[in-house]
Amino acid sequence: GTSKITSVLLTLQFSISLIAVILGVVFYQNAVYQEEMDYGFDKSGSISISFAELDELRAFETRIASNADILQIAGSEHQVGRSYRNDPVKNGAEEYDVDIIHIGDNFFETMDFKLLEGRKFSKDSQNDMNEAVIVSEEMVKVFGWDEPIGQKLVWMDTVSLYVVGVMQDAFLNGLWDPLDPIMLRYVPEEDYRFLTIKTSSDNLIEVDEYLEDTWKELHPDKMYNGTFMDRSMSEAALVNTNILKMFGFLGAVATFMSNIDLFRIVSLTVLKRMKEVGVRKVFGSSISHLMVILNKNFLIILIIASVLGSILSYLMATPFMELIWAYHVEPGVFTFLMAVGGLLILALGTISIKVYRAAMTNPTQTIRTE
């Protein structure tokens, strides 16, 4: 029937459809936002490999150094996304937990970290190995430094370190968790446990296969552990894609069912009012006037559903994304306007087809039949 309960249920159905559509659009925008976001370093074309012994690392590096597709090779004790320390660091009376990464020669350039102030580590400098550090913008902000270069830090209660450079913030663990302060230390080759191999994105697969073949030749009894360093971004893209598919499917099904139910109720309403339509046409009502009269109630339902769905999806979108990521896109007005506009066009198109046919019916035949 066309009772108030039917109208309420139809309003709720369209609201649910709109929620699914809006959330699908939001997660699509979030995927684009995270893909284009500056992570503070370049993971593309990078492969990291871990080694148990320094001799193994040296032998492997020597073996692959002649490959023309390999652009850069860098050693380090820790690796972005795979290994680091998190220790308290003091500056005067202030103390904060800091992510500490021990790097070697050429690592800063290979990862394309951005130096904002000061200098990089000097090659083979024993003084830099003992007491120099490069810190991130977030660390400068946390400690409240106006002049970070030369600041004294105390690590592990006894080790005195001095800031020689400031780097751009780097999201070392992706966008899942809040950004932590970062401190880079320079370590000698004897401490290396990772190799970072840089190639072009086009040659990444071929170079990885070459590295795996080389690994099997040198270490036939050990499993190759090379990892693409853009894995965290790939995982984020996969999560975005899967959620987008889920809401896209739900939105498509819900919208389709809502329009079917709307068409059914419109058809029933038009059948009940055919005599009224005929009489109004006899008395001179235009087709546009008849369409306004027949569409009015359904337009009110759609407007209420649009407002209700927009409010609920706005309340749901940000908390939902915050459960997954610390950094994500914020839903904008355009997102809601685009989703509401699309839904209204579909719904009004569904209504108008049936109403227009009814309004075009010969009034003489309608009145005689009804």
Side-chain angles (χ1 to χ4, degrees):
T2 55
S3 64
K4 291 183 178 180
I5 294 178
T6 302
S7 299
V8 170
L9 293 176
L10 187 61
T11 301
L12 291 175
Q13 194 169 8
F14 268 101
S15 298
I16 293 171
S17 302
L18 188 60
I19 291 171
V21 171
I22 289 176
L23 291 179
V25 173
V26 168
F27 276 96
Y28 170 76
Q29 292 175 329
N30 189 63
V32 174
Y33 165 79
Q34 292 187 343
E35 183 178 354
E36 296 177 349
M37 184 172 179
D38 183 4
Y39 280 66
F41 62 101
D42 183 17
K43 287 184 177 181
S44 61
S46 296
I47 302 170
S48 71
I49 305 175
S50 66
F51 296 85
E53 302 293 338
L54 178 61
D55 291 340
E56 295 178 356
L57 183 147
R58 284 173 171 166
F60 191 85
E61 181 179 8
T62 301
R63 186 72 174 272
I64 67 174
S66 59
N67 190 309
D69 291 330
I70 294 177
L71 306 177
Q72 289 177 308
I73 303 175
S76 61
E77 181 180 353
H78 299 140
Q79 184 54 274
V80 172
R82 296 184 67 175
S83 171
Y84 63 94
R85 298 184 61 136
N86 185 271
D87 293 331
V89 174
K90 294 181 181 179
N91 173 248
E94 301 290 330
E95 180 178 274
Y96 295 98
D97 288 339
V98 175
D99 288 346
I100 304 171
I101 300 179
H102 292 174
I103 68 172
D105 291 326
N106 205 35
F107 186 87
F108 198 96
E109 293 77 12
T110 300
M111 295 306 302
D112 197 23
F113 288 127
K114 278 75 173 179
L115 186 70
L116 303 179
E117 188 177 348
R119 64 174 178 85
K120 301 175 185 178
F121 298 123
S122 300
K123 182 176 175 60
D124 297 328
S125 170
Q126 194 64 42
N127 188 58
D128 278 2
M129 291 180 189
N130 291 335
E131 57 182 32
V133 293
I134 297 175
V135 301
S136 66
E137 294 175 280
E138 181 67 17
M139 188 161 174
V140 173
K141 186 188 303 181
V142 165
F143 280 103
W145 296 328
D146 294 325
E147 297 292 337
I149 304 302
Q151 290 286 343
K152 179 181 178 181
L153 298 168
V154 178
W155 174 49
M156 300 178 66
D157 294 328
T158 57
V159 181
S160 296
L161 303 169
Y162 297 89
V163 177
V164 298
V166 178
M167 60 179 277
Q168 179 182 323
D169 282 333
F171 296 87
L172 302 182
N173 297 308
L175 306 178
W176 313 99
D177 301 311
L179 188 68
D180 289 327
I182 300 169
M183 185 172 76
L184 304 183
R185 292 190 67 230
Y186 184 40
V187 295
E189 184 183 15
E190 288 72 24
D191 293 342
Y192 291 178
R193 290 296 177 266
F194 287 92
L195 277 183
T196 301
I197 295 92
K198 186 78 169 182
T199 183
S200 66
S201 299
D202 295 335
N203 294 329
L204 184 62
I205 302 300
E206 291 79 1
V207 168
D208 184 59
E209 292 174 351
Y210 163 76
L211 295 175
E212 185 172 4
D213 292 340
T214 305
W215 177 278
K216 290 178 179 178
E217 291 178 12
L218 296 176
H219 312 290
D221 57 335
K222 295 182 180 181
M223 183 176 294
Y224 174 68
N225 61 71
T227 302
F228 295 158
M229 294 187 63
D230 61 356
R231 182 179 60 182
S232 62
M233 287 186 287
S234 300
E235 290 173 351
L238 181 62
V239 170
N240 272 310
T241 300
N242 289 337
I243 295 177
L244 178 59
K245 288 179 179 178
M246 179 182 71
F247 281 116
F249 177 77
L250 177 60
V253 171
T255 302
F256 179 70
M257 295 301 296
S258 298
N259 278 282
I260 288 178
D261 289 341
L262 178 63
F263 185 81
R264 218 165 28 187
I265 296 172
V266 169
S267 300
L268 181 60
T269 301
V270 168
L271 285 174
K272 288 182 176 182
R273 301 181 67 177
M274 284 303 292
K275 184 175 182 179
E276 177 190 345
V277 170
V279 171
R280 287 182 180 274
K281 287 194 72 173
V282 169
F283 281 94
S285 290
S286 64
I287 293 176
S288 59
H289 180 66
L290 289 173
M291 290 189 69
V292 169
I293 293 173
L294 295 175
N295 278 334
K296 181 179 178 182
N297 291 336
F298 299 106
L299 186 59
I300 292 173
I301 288 175
L302 292 175
I303 292 174
I304 294 174
S306 298
V307 173
L308 181 61
S310 297
I311 293 173
L312 291 176
S313 57
Y314 176 78
L315 295 175
M316 292 173 61
T318 300
F320 191 9
M321 287 194 290
E322 285 178 349
L323 290 174
I324 307 173
W325 296 288
Y327 302 92
H328 52 78
V329 72
E330 294 295 334
V333 175
F334 176 75
T335 303
F336 297 94
L337 292 178
M338 183 169 58
V340 170
L343 192 66
L344 286 177
I345 290 173
L346 287 174
L348 291 175
T350 301
I351 297 172
S352 298
I353 291 173
K354 189 67 179 179
V355 172
Y356 181 77
R357 288 177 181 174
M360 290 293 292
T361 304
N362 189 320
T364 305
Q365 181 181 355
T366 301
I367 295 173
R368 184 189 306 119
T369 303
E370 294 297 326

